[in-house]
């Protein structure tokens, strides 16, 4: 009985975290007023802790739910843009400025103060990249387990396509439903472009 209580508590914690991060029944403006939403979003941007947090989220999301996978991919890429993009660029500019200032004022060795890629930073980047590739590979095998469709878009679909979407099935290929033939839509295609950019960045880093 104690073991079952622990399982139930973990399930409630998982459901609460996922619903707080990516709620299906709240707009982004409602989320912006939530302190818990901000707390979980900032947790994924902390150095070191962020990599562990996204690794836990990759284990918590339903790998067969297209909605959760798409939200996970977008959230992870936003986190990487802020931390590995803006944050790393600002930190590198500060180190480069300190290097030049130290060399001109204190005759210090610029090589010692110059920005460099540490082993921990490389592992942090590699771990998030592997988690992201896993999510992209799972996306084509996911299913539509539920989504909110605006009324103006829903009215354009035939009744058979609406019933198929409500049941999580693929509707018959028509001119109106051809855009939902690929899981993830445009996001799946951007994943291949994103992988090419990541390979270029890794090559430049090693070079």
């Amino acid at each position: 009985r104690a073991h079952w209580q622990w399982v139930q508590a973990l399930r409630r914690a998982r459901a609460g975290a996922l619903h707080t991060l990516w709620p299906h029944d709240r707009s982004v403006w409602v989320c912006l007023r939530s302190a818990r939403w901000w707390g979980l979003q900032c947790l994924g941007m902390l150095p070191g802790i962020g990599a562990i947090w996204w690794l836990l989220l990759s284990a918590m999301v339903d790998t067969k739910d297209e909605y959760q996978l798409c939200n996970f991919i977008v959230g992870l890429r936003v986190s990487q843009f802020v931390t590995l993009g803006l944050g790393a660029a600002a930190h590198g500019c500060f180190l480069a400025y300190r290097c030049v200032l130290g060399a001109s004022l204190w005759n210090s060795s610029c090589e010692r103060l110059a920005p460099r890629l540490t082993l921990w930073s490389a592992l942090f980047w590699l771990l998030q990249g592997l988690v992201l590739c896993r999510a992209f590979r799972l996306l084509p095998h996911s299913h539509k387990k539920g989504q909110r469709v605006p009324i103006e878009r829903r009215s354009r679909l035939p009744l058979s396509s609406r019933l198929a979407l409500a049941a999580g099935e693929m509707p018959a290929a028509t001119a109106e439903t051809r855009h939902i033939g690929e899981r993830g839509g445009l996001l799946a295609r951007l994943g291949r472009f994103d992988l090419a950019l990541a390979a270029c960045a890794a090559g430049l880093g090693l070079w």
Side-chain angles (χ1 to χ4, degrees):
R1 182 177 177 82
H3 173 72
W4 179 250
Q5 291 177 350
W6 274 104
V7 172
Q8 290 295 324
L10 290 176
R11 287 181 176 177
R12 285 193 296 267
R14 170 184 175 271
L18 292 178
H19 185 263
T20 301
L21 279 172
W22 309 305
H24 67 281
D25 55 351
R26 299 175 189 171
S27 66
V28 64
W29 307 110
V30 177
C31 294
L32 289 174
R33 296 195 295 268
S34 173
R36 289 184 297 177
W37 183 86
W38 280 106
L40 293 182
Q41 293 290 345
C42 294
L43 186 63
M45 300 181 185
L46 296 177
I49 300 177
I52 301 175
W53 170 244
W54 285 107
L55 190 62
L56 288 176
L57 277 181
S58 68
M60 285 193 293
V61 297
D62 187 353
T63 57
K64 296 183 179 180
D65 190 343
E66 182 190 23
Y67 174 80
Q68 292 190 28
L69 283 175
C70 289
N71 278 284
F72 174 80
I73 292 172
V74 173
L76 179 56
R77 292 307 286 155
V78 171
S79 174
Q80 289 177 337
F81 172 75
V82 174
T83 56
L84 303 178
L86 299 179
H91 183 63
C93 290
F94 169 75
L95 293 180
Y97 174 77
R98 189 183 65 171
C99 170
V100 175
L101 188 65
S104 59
L105 295 182
W106 305 301
N107 294 325
S108 178
S109 174
C110 188
E111 183 179 356
R112 183 175 60 86
L113 301 175
R116 67 191 65 186
L117 181 65
T118 63
L119 178 61
W120 179 252
S121 299
L123 291 176
F124 174 71
W125 182 84
L126 180 62
L127 181 59
Q128 287 200 352
L130 292 176
V131 170
L132 183 66
C133 290
R134 174 181 176 269
F136 271 117
R137 288 182 61 87
L138 291 172
L139 191 57
H141 308 286
S142 61
H143 303 282
K144 289 184 179 296
K145 292 191 174 182
Q147 67 180 42
R148 298 178 66 183
V149 180
I151 296 179
E152 62 273 11
R153 287 179 53 197
R154 194 184 314 159
S155 60
R156 303 174 190 170
L157 300 178
L159 180 59
S160 58
S161 298
R162 299 183 212 174
L163 294 176
L165 286 175
E169 302 173 355
M170 180 64 66
T174 61
E176 293 81 4
T177 61
R178 195 169 294 139
H179 65 284
I180 56 177
E182 183 179 3
R183 293 306 183 194
L186 183 61
L187 186 62
R189 304 172 201 168
L190 289 176
R192 294 186 284 270
F193 177 70
D194 189 52
L195 182 61
L197 290 180
C200 293
L204 289 175
L206 294 176
W207 182 67

